[in-house]
């Protein structure tokens, strides 16, 4: 049944029998047969079928919740047994919003030094997608905002406080100021993250609080793209101080605090709440808490 529940999870995520079969590494008839066997075992119809996938039935939605729980617990058990035999090893899947990508090595580097048999993959995505990936067991943890939008049932570790700065080249409007207001920033040529990013929603909110509207002439989901355009001198951007600092200071770049309002937001590590955690996630949360303590001490 575990294998069938794994198939069912992938089908619910992909919403297409062909793509789900490819993801599971089986043929479409094999996947379809496994889902029908699962329906027979449970005595309910899980999937609305026609010429193609038409969604889950109400019973299918309820089984999906159980499937996530059962498959998650099974993976935890397997990891615990592997750790008991071989020590901590395996693969950790992380997802991070763009403004937290520079923080990832602060966790992965010391973690892998302690546990050299653990490998990582890191995905850059939106805060909403991180929560969906956690729910579907597609990642082990994410780095995102902690208090601005609902997170659901997760375990979180605060890591850093974002303080917003105008990032602009020397000799451009406002570059000689010690601080600038959100209203002033709204009047210059900006490049910002795309609207699907929570960072952009936060920025839009603070512009609105200042009675202004941001009208960027360039948008991207990559902080590197934004910073590269700032360096041309034709655009300015708004970035958390720690993000801008991670690109390295240049004599031709200015970081200027934005005030009125002077705002800060907390970012941190989140993982789906469960007891017990897998050994890998438990060790990752421990590393994050150590980083959090170091940041507080600083």
């Amino acid at each position: 049944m575990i294998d069938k529940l794994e198939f069912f999870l992938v089908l619910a995520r992909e919403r297409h029998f062909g793509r789900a079969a490819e993801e599971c590494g089986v043929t479409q008839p094999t996947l379809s047969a496994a889902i029908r066997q699962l329906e027979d075992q449970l005595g309910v119809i899980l999937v609305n079928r026609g010429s193609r996938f038409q969604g889950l039935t109400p019973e299918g939605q309820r089984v999906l919740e159980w499937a996530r729980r059962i498959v998650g617990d099974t993976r935890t058990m397997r990891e615990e047994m592997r750790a008991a035999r071989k020590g901590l090893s395996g693969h950790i899947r992380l997802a991070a919003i763009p403004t937290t990508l520079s923080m990832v090595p602060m966790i992965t580097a010391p973690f892998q030094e302690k546990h050299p048999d653990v490998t990582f993959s890191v995905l850059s995505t939106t805060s909403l997608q991180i929560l969906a990936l956690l729910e579907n067991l597609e990642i082990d943890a994410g780095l995102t905002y902690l208090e601005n939008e609902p997170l659901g049932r997760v375990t979180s570790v605060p890591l850093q406080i974002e303080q917003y700065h105008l990032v602009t080249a020397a000799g451009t409007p406002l570059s000689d100021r010690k601080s600038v207001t959100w209203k002033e920033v709204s009047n210059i040529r900006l490049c910002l993250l795309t609207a699907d990013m929570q960072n952009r929603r936060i920025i839009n909110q603070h512009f609105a609080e200042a009675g202004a509207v941001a009208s960027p002439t360039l948008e991207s989901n990559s902080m590197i793209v934004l910073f590269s355009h700032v360096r041309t001198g034709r655009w300015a951007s708004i970035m958390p101080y720690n993000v801008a600092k991670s690109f390295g200071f240049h004599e031709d770049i200015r970081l200027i605090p934005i005030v009125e309002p002077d705002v800060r937001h907390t970012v941190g590590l989140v993982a789906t709440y469960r007891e017990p955690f897998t050994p890998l996630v438990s060790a990752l949360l421990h590393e994050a808490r150590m980083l959090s303590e170091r940041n507080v001490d600083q």
Side-chain angles (χ1 to χ4, degrees):
M1 179 173 280
I2 297 298
D3 290 341
K4 296 183 184 73
L5 290 174
E6 293 262 18
F7 288 169
F8 181 62
L9 283 177
V10 176
L11 178 61
R13 182 179 76 238
E14 295 295 331
R15 302 184 64 81
H16 188 278
F17 278 95
R19 289 196 300 269
E22 184 177 355
E23 177 74 16
C24 294
V26 299
T27 64
Q28 187 169 329
T30 298
L31 177 75
S32 297
I35 299 300
R36 289 194 182 279
Q37 289 168 14
L38 182 60
E39 290 176 325
D40 290 342
Q41 285 179 277
L42 297 175
V44 294
I45 300 298
L46 303 176
V47 179
N48 290 315
R49 296 174 177 84
S51 57
R52 53 198 173 100
F53 180 88
Q54 296 180 352
L56 301 181
T57 64
E59 294 81 5
Q61 291 288 352
R62 187 72 184 103
V63 169
L64 180 61
E65 297 176 20
W66 278 102
R68 287 168 175 158
R69 192 179 314 171
I70 293 168
V71 170
D73 287 345
T74 301
R75 291 178 182 178
T76 299
M77 178 184 67
R78 288 171 178 163
E79 276 198 28
E80 282 198 6
M81 295 306 99
R82 184 175 64 225
R85 295 194 315 270
K86 303 179 179 179
L88 204 60
S89 63
H91 185 75
I92 294 178
R93 303 158 300 169
L94 292 176
I97 58 174
T99 59
T100 64
L101 287 171
S102 62
M103 297 172 54
V104 174
M106 300 178 190
I107 298 175
T108 55
F111 187 100
Q112 198 167 57
E113 186 174 349
K114 296 171 187 172
H115 310 290
D117 292 329
V118 175
T119 59
F120 288 90
S121 58
V122 181
L123 172 70
S124 175
T125 188
T126 68
S127 57
L128 293 177
Q129 186 63 15
I130 286 174
L131 298 181
L133 292 169
L134 281 173
E135 185 178 45
N136 290 327
L137 308 179
E138 295 177 76
I139 58 172
D140 300 294
L143 281 84
T144 187
Y145 292 98
L146 298 187
E147 83 279 270
N148 193 59
E149 296 179 357
L151 289 174
R153 196 164 182 261
V154 299
T155 295
S156 62
V157 180
L159 296 177
Q160 217 165 61
I161 304 295
E162 284 192 348
Q163 180 183 9
Y164 292 99
H165 282 59
L166 175 67
V167 184
T168 190
T172 57
L174 306 179
S175 64
D176 59 344
R177 299 279 295 277
K178 290 186 178 179
S179 66
V180 292
T181 67
W182 287 90
K183 195 169 187 64
E184 289 172 323
V185 172
S186 70
N187 295 319
I188 62 176
R189 183 193 294 264
L190 291 172
C191 56
L192 299 174
L193 286 175
T194 49
D196 59 329
M197 295 291 175
Q198 189 174 171
N199 170 269
R200 176 64 182 281
R201 295 195 291 275
I202 289 172
I203 287 173
N204 287 347
Q205 172 190 335
H206 295 318
F207 274 125
E209 291 168 353
V213 176
S215 301
T217 59
L218 185 143
E219 297 177 318
S220 174
N221 62 0
S222 165
M223 300 301 291
I224 293 176
V225 169
L226 299 186
F227 192 77
S228 298
H229 281 79
V230 169
R231 294 201 65 191
T232 68
R234 293 186 56 82
W235 283 270
S237 190
I238 299 169
M239 298 183 187
Y241 178 82
N242 292 310
V243 174
K245 182 180 175 183
S246 72
F247 289 109
F249 283 105
H250 300 274
E251 291 183 2
D252 58 339
I253 299 296
R254 302 285 186 266
L255 301 182
I256 305 164
I258 306 177
V259 296
E260 297 180 24
D262 181 2
V263 292
R264 289 166 171 77
H265 295 274
T266 305
V267 294
L269 186 80
V270 295
T272 302
Y273 179 82
R274 65 169 58 251
E275 288 292 347
F277 289 105
T278 68
L280 287 175
V281 171
S282 181
L284 187 70
L285 288 169
H286 174 72
E287 198 64 51
R289 292 186 183 105
M290 292 181 64
L291 174 60
S292 178
E293 291 172 2
R294 292 196 297 270
N295 287 340
V296 169
D297 292 339
Q298 293 174 1

